[in-house]
C-alpha cells in the first residue's frame, strides 16, 4: 500500500470528523457523541503516523530509531479501546453497568499501552525499519512480546466488537442493522489482518520469510476493515440526518400553496430572506408569514367560503383582488374541519396559529387541491370525471 493511500484515508476520516464537529459542540455532554467524535481522529492518527514518510520524520525529530513504533502501537491500542467503549455506550443498558464496563476497558487497554512502552524501552531496536518492524524484530527479546501484545489486543478488541454488534444486529431493524452488519464485516476483516501478522511473525520464528504478507496484504486488509467500520458507524446517524432533512424540506415545500395565497392576500410585501439562508430560517419565515396572513383574514374564515367569495365579510385591509383567495382558504379550512368527524376535535384557527406546523401543512394541502379544482381546466376535468362516473 503506497503512502498516498495512507494520507487519503487520513483525509477521509478528518472530513468525517469535521462534519461531526458541530454536533460535538452542541452535545458534548452526550457520551455517545463524544465516543464517535474521539474514534474518528484516533483512526486518522493511526494512518497518519503509520505512513512511512511520517515514521521517518518522527524518528528523525526524536533522534530515537523506531520511536514511531510504540507511538503507532499506542494509538492503535487506544483506537481499539475506543471501538469497544463506543459499542458499550451505543448498546445502552443500565448506566452503572456501562460505567463499570467502560472503566474495565480503559484500565485494561491503558495497561497494555504501558506494557508496550516498557517492552520497547527494554528491547534493542537500533536498526530503523519503516515497513517491516513486526517481522524484522520478531525474534528479538522484549520486542517480539511487544508486537504480539499489540496484535493480540487489536484482535481481541475487534473480536469483542464483532460479537457485540452481531448480537445487537439480530434485535434491531432497518439501517441500524445494516450499519451493525458493516461493523461486523469490518471487524472480521480486522481479524484477517491479525491472522496475516501472525502468519508472517510465525514464519520468522520458524526460519521462513513471509514478510510480504505483513507488509503488503495486512495493511490493505486493515484499511478496508477500517473503512467498513467507519461507514457502519456513520450509516445510522447519517440516515437519520438525511431523513430529518427530507421531512423538513417536504414540509417546507408543502406549505408553499398556503404561503403564496397569503402573499396574494396581505396588503404589504412579505419580508424576503436571502436565497442562501438555511432551510430552518426559510421554514420559520414561511410559517410566520402564513400565521400573519391567517390572523389578518381570521374574521372572514368562519363566515364560510360562499360569503367570503361574495365579499360579504367585514371589509379589512386586504388587497383588492383578495376575495377569491380568501374564499379558497375558507373552503380549505371548512374541508379540513370536516375530514375526520368523530375521531378527534376539529382543528380550530387558534390551534393553527399557536400549534406546530402540522395543521398548517394539512391546510396547505387542502388549499392546493381546491386551487386545482377552482382552475378552469380543473373544473372541466372534474366535470368530465363526474359525467363518466354517472354514465
Amino acid at each position: 500500500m503506497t503512502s498516498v493511500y495512507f494520507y487519503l484515508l487520513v483525509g477521509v476520516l478528518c472530513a468525517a470528523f469535521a462534519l461531526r464537529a458541530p454536533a460535538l459542540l452542541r452535545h458534548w455532554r452526550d457520551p455517545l457523541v463524544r465516543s464517535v467524535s474521539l474514534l474518528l481522529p484516533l483512526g486518522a492518527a493511526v494512518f497518519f503516523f503509520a505512513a512511512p514518510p511520517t515514521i521517518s520524520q518522527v524518528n528523525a525529530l526524536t533522534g530515537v530509531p523506531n520511536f514511531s513504533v510504540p507511538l503507532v502501537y499506542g494509538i492503535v491500542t487506544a483506537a481499539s479501546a475506543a471501538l469497544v467503549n463506543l459499542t458499550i455506550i451505543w448498546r445502552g443498558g443500565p448506566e452503572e453497568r456501562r460505567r463499570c464496563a467502560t472503566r474495565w476497558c480503559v484500565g485494561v487497554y491503558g495497561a497494555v499501552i504501558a506494557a508496550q512502552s516498557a517492552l520497547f524501552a527494554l528491547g534493542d531496536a537500533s536498526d530503523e525499519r519503516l515497513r517491516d518492524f513486526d517481522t524484522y524484530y520478531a525474534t528479538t527479546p522484549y520486542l517480539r512480546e511487544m508486537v504480539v501484545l499489540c496484535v493480540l489486543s487489536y484482535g481481541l478488541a475487534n473480536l469483542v466488537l464483532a460479537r457485540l454488534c452481531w448480537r445487537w444486529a439480530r434485535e434491531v431493524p432497518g439501517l441500524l442493522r445494516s450499519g451493525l452488519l458493516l461493523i461486523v464485516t469490518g471487524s472480521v476483516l480486522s481479524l484477517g489482518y491479525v491472522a496475516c501478522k501472525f502468519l508472517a511473525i510465525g514464519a520468522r520464528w520458524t526460519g521462513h520469510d513471509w514478510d510480504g504478507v505483513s507488509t503488503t496484504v495486512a495493511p490493505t486488509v486493515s484499511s478496508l476493515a477500517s473503512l467498513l467500520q467507519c461507514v457502519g458507524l456513520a450509516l445510522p446517524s447519517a440516515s437519520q440526518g438525511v431523513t430529518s432533512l427530507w421531512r423538513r424540506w417536504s414540509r417546507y415545500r408543502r406549505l408553499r400553496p398556503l404561503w403564496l395565497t397569503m402573499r396574494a392576500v396581505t396588503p404589504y410585501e412579505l419580508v424576503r430572506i436571502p436565497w442562501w439562508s438555511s432551510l430552518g430560517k426559510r421554514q420559520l419565515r414561511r410559517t410566520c408569514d402564513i400565521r400573519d396572513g391567517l390572523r389578518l383574514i381570521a374574521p372572514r374564515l368562519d363566515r364560510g367560503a360562499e360569503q367570503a367569495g361574495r365579499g360579504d365579510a367585514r371589509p379589512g385591509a386586504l388587497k383588492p383582488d383578495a376575495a377569491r383567495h380568501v374564499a379558497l382558504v375558507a373552503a380549505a379550512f371548512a374541508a379540513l374541519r370536516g375530514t375526520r368527524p368523530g375521531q378527534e376535535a376539529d382543528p380550530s384557527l387558534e390551534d393553527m396559529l399557536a400549534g406546530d406546523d402540522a395543521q398548517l401543512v394539512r391546510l396547505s394541502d387542502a388549499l392546493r387541491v381546491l386551487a386545482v379544482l377552482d382552475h378552469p381546466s380543473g373544473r372541466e376535468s372534474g366535470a368530465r370525471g363526474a359525467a363518466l362516473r354517472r354514465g
Side-chain angles (χ1 to χ4, degrees):
M1 190 168 64
T2 63
S3 301
V4 175
Y5 195 61
F6 281 94
Y7 295 124
L8 180 62
L9 291 173
V10 172
V12 171
L13 292 173
C14 288
F17 177 73
L19 292 175
R20 293 195 62 89
L24 176 62
L25 294 176
R26 289 194 304 267
H27 310 289
W28 66 274
R29 293 181 181 273
D30 189 340
L32 180 59
V33 175
R34 289 201 306 267
S35 298
V36 175
S37 301
L38 175 64
L39 184 61
L40 292 172
L42 277 176
V46 169
F47 288 104
F48 177 77
F49 286 103
T54 306
I55 293 176
S56 179
Q57 288 295 322
V58 170
N59 293 339
L61 289 174
T62 59
V64 178
N66 299 306
F67 180 85
S68 289
V69 174
L71 176 63
V72 173
Y73 281 11
I75 298 174
V76 169
T77 306
S80 302
L83 275 175
V84 177
N85 184 53
L86 173 61
T87 308
I88 293 171
I89 297 174
W90 198 8
R91 171 82 176 181
E95 184 176 358
E96 185 59 33
R97 182 179 178 183
R98 293 202 316 267
R99 289 183 177 180
C100 181
T102 299
R103 286 194 294 267
W104 269 100
C105 178
V106 173
V108 169
Y109 277 89
V112 170
I113 293 174
Q116 289 172 353
S117 301
L119 290 171
F120 179 79
L122 292 173
D124 180 14
S126 54
D127 295 336
E128 184 183 51
R129 311 301 300 182
L130 301 181
R131 295 181 181 272
D132 60 347
F133 181 92
D134 300 340
T135 52
Y136 186 83
Y137 289 104
T139 57
T140 304
Y142 300 113
L143 297 181
R144 66 188 172 204
E145 286 82 4
M146 181 188 71
V147 172
V148 171
L149 182 61
C150 177
V151 177
L152 278 178
S153 62
Y154 177 76
L156 179 62
N158 282 277
L159 182 62
V160 172
L161 184 65
R163 182 173 177 270
L164 290 175
C165 291
W166 176 253
R167 291 176 57 186
W168 191 12
R170 293 184 296 179
E171 302 172 3
V172 295
L175 288 174
L176 178 57
R177 175 184 173 87
S178 301
L180 290 171
L181 292 178
L182 282 176
I183 295 175
V184 171
T185 305
S187 301
V188 172
L189 282 177
S190 296
L191 296 178
Y193 164 84
V194 172
C196 291
K197 285 291 185 181
F198 276 133
L199 279 175
I201 293 172
R204 280 281 185 161
W205 289 346
T206 59
H208 298 84
D209 184 359
W210 288 5
D211 290 5
V213 177
S214 175
T215 58
T216 303
V217 179
T220 304
V221 173
S222 176
S223 61
L224 180 58
S226 300
L227 183 61
L228 289 175
Q229 288 174 338
C230 289
V231 172
L233 289 171
L235 185 61
S237 58
S239 64
Q240 291 175 1
V242 171
T243 302
S244 176
L245 180 61
W246 172 253
R247 288 175 180 172
R248 290 166 57 197
W249 175 256
S250 177
R251 186 165 58 246
Y252 174 79
R253 179 182 54 82
R254 289 169 64 186
L255 285 172
R256 178 177 172 81
L258 186 58
W259 179 69
L260 290 176
T261 302
M262 293 302 101
R263 290 183 61 183
V265 168
T266 51
Y268 52 85
E269 182 68 22
L270 298 180
V271 178
R272 301 196 180 196
I273 59 176
W275 62 268
W276 59 83
S277 300
S278 65
L279 180 59
K281 291 182 179 179
R282 300 171 74 88
Q283 173 77 9
L284 179 61
R285 180 69 271 171
R286 181 163 287 189
T287 54
C288 289
D289 291 340
I290 291 173
R291 287 192 171 97
D292 289 344
L294 288 177
R295 289 188 182 96
L296 185 62
I297 66 174
R300 302 167 181 256
L301 293 183
D302 290 334
R303 289 177 168 81
E306 184 179 353
Q307 293 182 0
R310 293 199 307 263
D312 294 339
R314 183 178 55 193
L318 299 179
K319 289 183 178 179
D321 58 346
R324 187 177 65 87
H325 298 287
V326 174
L328 283 174
V329 175
F333 183 66
L336 182 62
R337 289 174 61 87
T339 51
R340 293 178 291 181
Q343 296 185 13
E344 60 181 71
D346 291 333
S348 64
L349 185 60
E350 290 75 13
D351 295 335
M352 293 185 182
L353 295 177
D356 56 16
D357 299 342
Q359 300 291 354
L360 296 180
V361 171
R362 293 180 58 211
L363 179 61
S364 183
D365 289 341
L367 179 64
R368 183 179 66 250
V369 174
L370 290 176
V372 171
L373 295 177
D374 183 68
H375 195 271
S377 60
R379 287 197 297 267
E380 293 174 4
S381 61
R384 287 195 300 269
L388 289 174
R389 286 192 297 270
R390 288 194 302 268

